């Protein structure tokens, strides 16, 4: 049996800011976890569709600016150009520009408002990589 990702955590400095960003860009739903530790559950879509859910957790320590430490999750999007525009409008930044993955689709990497890198993929079997 293969090991599959069943949950993800996004480490954030400001839970409300991160919730606004991901809610406005991707339409995700959020529920605060009842307990002492700040933790917000993330529902990325209907249970009837493939995908995983996760959570925001409070970042422990600071980002020192020397390197990016991240576990990158890639998010399936229907229109990468529209999504990139939303990312920018909500305060996110480009990490790597949109590129073709031959026979698969269009891939781009961005940073959210918390400095985390994430990927976005638009399926398009006609995409062809070029330098």
């Amino acid at each position: 049996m293969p090991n599959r990702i069943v949950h993800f955590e996004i480490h954030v400095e400001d839970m409300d800011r991160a919730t606004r960003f991901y809610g406005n860009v991707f339409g995700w739903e959020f529920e605060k976890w009842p307990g002492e530790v700040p933790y917000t559950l993330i529902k990325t879509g209907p249970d009837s569709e493939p995908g995983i859910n996760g959570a925001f957790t409070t970042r422990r320590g600071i980002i020192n600016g020397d390197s990016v430490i991240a576990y990158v999750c890639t998010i399936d999007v229907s229109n990468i150009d529209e999504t990139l525009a939303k990312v920018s409008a909500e305060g996110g930044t480009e990490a790597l520009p949109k590129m073709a993955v031959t026979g698969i689709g269009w891939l781009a990497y961005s940073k959210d408002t918390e400095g985390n890198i994430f990927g976005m993929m638009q399926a398009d079997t006609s995409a062809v990589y070029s330098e």
Side-chain angles (χ1 to χ4, degrees), residues 65-129:
D66 293 336
S67 63
V68 175
I69 300 170
Y71 192 97
V72 177
C73 292
T74 299
I75 302 159
D76 180 39
V77 299
S78 60
N79 186 311
I80 199 159
D81 294 319
E82 288 178 5
T83 307
L84 287 167
K86 287 182 184 179
V87 167
S88 179
E90 292 297 327
T93 59
E94 179 182 274
L96 288 173
K98 179 177 101 172
M99 64 192 92
V101 179
T102 301
I104 303 294
W106 299 96
L107 175 66
Y109 292 95
S110 293
K111 286 187 181 182
D112 66 13
T113 53
E114 309 306 305
N116 297 302
I117 290 179
F118 61 96
M120 293 163 286
M121 172 67 77
Q122 174 188 330
D124 180 356
T125 56
S126 67
V128 177
Y129 176 80

Side-chain angles (χ1 to χ4, degrees), residues 1-9 42 51-55 71 73:
M1 174 180 275
N3 296 309
R4 297 184 64 192
I5 298 171
V6 296
H7 183 77
F8 64 86
E9 288 183 338
I42 301 168
I52 61 172
N53 296 316
Y71 192 97
C73 292

Side-chain angles (χ1 to χ4, degrees), residues 3-53:
N3 296 309
R4 297 184 64 192
I5 298 171
V6 296
H7 183 77
F8 64 86
E9 288 183 338
I10 300 173
H11 292 241
V12 302
E13 183 178 325
D14 184 317
M15 200 79 69
D16 291 332
R17 182 174 63 202
T19 299
R20 278 191 309 274
F21 177 83
Y22 282 95
N24 290 338
V25 173
F26 297 110
W28 291 353
E29 297 175 9
F30 308 94
E31 180 183 339
K32 290 187 179 185
W33 183 265
E36 298 173 6
V37 175
Y39 200 78
T40 299
L41 297 175
I42 301 168
K43 183 172 183 170
T44 62
D47 292 337
S48 60
E49 294 180 8
I52 61 172
N53 296 316

